[in-house]
Amino acid sequence: MNLTRGGDLIYDAILTLAYPQVCVICGRSVEQRRFGVACEPCWKETRIFTDEERICLKCGTPDQERCGRCEELAFTAARAVGMYEGALRESVLLLKRQPYLPRHVEGLLTKLVRCEPLKRSTRVIPVPLHPKRLKTRGFNQASIIGQTVSKALKLPLDEVSLVRVSTTEKYRAGMDKKGRRDTVAGAFRAVNPRLVAGEDILLVDDVFTTGATISACGEALMAAGARNVFVLTIGRA
Ligand SMILES: [Zn+2]
Ligand SMILES: [Zn+2]
């Protein structure tokens, strides 16, 4: 880590401690620390999924009970806190820069994992970064989410059983769905089948976009004998 990057981290840390601060979306002041980088009105405008939401029961796509596009994805069910927009998006972007989740986001994640079907999970596994990437960033943002939910559900946080064996995680622009799937297919490997076999895995990541990365992880976990792979993300793109 060079000095400039270190300086940025310290500056960010001060920002998250000093309230009120300016909302990164609208410029009003954020009065409460628990809201992180967005103000309460901006949080109110962000779509958070409710218990009564009509969603695809498998992949969690809003406004449709069966989206018809997720049959091939290798997981049992995926749920997100809300749409990847507004305050949720800003919270995820912050999480990519520093290992920090505002209390409000922690509360939303905790509530979601205590509902069906995620509450049936027995083991929490964050989507891993490639070791090279982990070294430059200093932390895995999915692990920060994993820590929160493993604490809430009193489940083991497993950061060793699933590894990323290839760095291909940036998709080339214009690549179609199949192209994206092929890029990440085989990118993950379950290295401790003994720890995964028969378990109901809660796989966690920051954003669910096409589901290709998550499905590649799910495939590796299922191949190692996982009984179910439930998925939790903050945002749904
Ligand atoms: Zn705002
Ligand atoms: Zn679906």
Side-chain angles (χ1 to χ4, degrees):
M1 189 184 281
N2 64 41
L3 278 175
T4 325
R5 175 112 178 85
D8 278 352
L9 282 180
I10 290 163
Y11 178 66
D12 281 347
I14 290 166
L15 269 188
T16 61
L17 291 173
Y19 280 84
Q21 67 151 299
V22 169
C23 171
V24 293
I25 301 169
C26 72
R28 277 177 288 215
S29 68
V30 183
E31 302 287 346
Q32 292 179 57
R33 199 180 158 181
R34 70 188 174 101
F35 288 121
V37 288
C39 70
E40 197 171 4
C42 282
W43 271 108
K44 285 203 173 116
E45 277 167 35
T46 303
R47 184 167 175 196
I48 306 291
F49 300 143
T50 64
D51 298 346
E52 294 90 46
E53 205 82 40
R54 213 169 131 246
I55 54 167
C56 173
L57 290 177
K58 181 171 176 188
C59 72
T61 301
D63 307 318
Q64 37 200 333
E65 259 151 43
R66 285 180 67 181
C67 78
R69 293 184 306 272
C70 61
E71 280 91 352
E72 286 174 31
L73 298 178
F75 54 77
T76 312
R79 297 292 181 266
V81 167
M83 290 306 280
Y84 185 56
E85 63 177 29
L88 272 187
R89 182 169 172 274
E90 294 302 331
S91 303
V92 167
L93 294 176
L94 177 72
L95 180 63
K96 285 185 197 289
R97 296 201 311 273
Q98 60 175 85
Y100 169 76
L101 272 178
R103 273 265 203 81
H104 187 58
V105 178
E106 285 190 330
L108 293 168
L109 284 166
T110 302
K111 191 174 165 225
L112 187 57
V113 292
R114 286 183 179 148
C115 296
E116 283 288 350
L118 304 188
K119 70 173 188 183
R120 282 186 269 161
S121 310
T122 56
R123 190 172 198 84
V124 178
I125 298 186
V127 170
L129 286 179
H130 189 273
K132 262 192 203 158
R133 192 83 192 278
L134 184 61
K135 224 175 158 187
T136 34
R137 185 174 286 177
F139 66 96
N140 177 2
Q141 75 277 18
S143 296
I144 308 301
I145 305 168
Q147 282 166 16
T148 297
V149 297
S150 76
K151 234 183 273 166
L153 291 177
K154 296 187 174 65
L155 293 177
L157 176 65
D158 180 347
E159 297 185 80
V160 295
S161 294
L162 186 66
V163 294
R164 190 188 284 260
V165 289
S166 92
T167 45
T168 51
E169 59 168 2
K170 283 265 176 275
Y171 314 127
R172 266 173 297 154
M175 201 179 257
D176 62 7
K177 225 182 194 175
K178 186 178 177 300
R180 275 190 293 243
R181 259 209 308 275
D182 293 347
T183 312
V184 287
F188 299 91
R189 194 167 301 149
V191 288
N192 280 324
R194 200 175 44 87
L195 296 178
V196 168
E199 299 277 339
D200 298 319
I201 305 295
L202 183 58
L203 183 65
V204 297
D205 205 0
D206 48 6
V207 186
F208 186 111
T209 309
T210 62
T213 301
I214 279 155
S215 182
C217 289
E219 232 163 79
L221 292 167
M222 301 265 199
R227 186 168 58 180
N228 282 299
V229 176
F230 300 113
V231 178
L232 167 73
T233 61
I234 294 179
R236 171 79 215 206

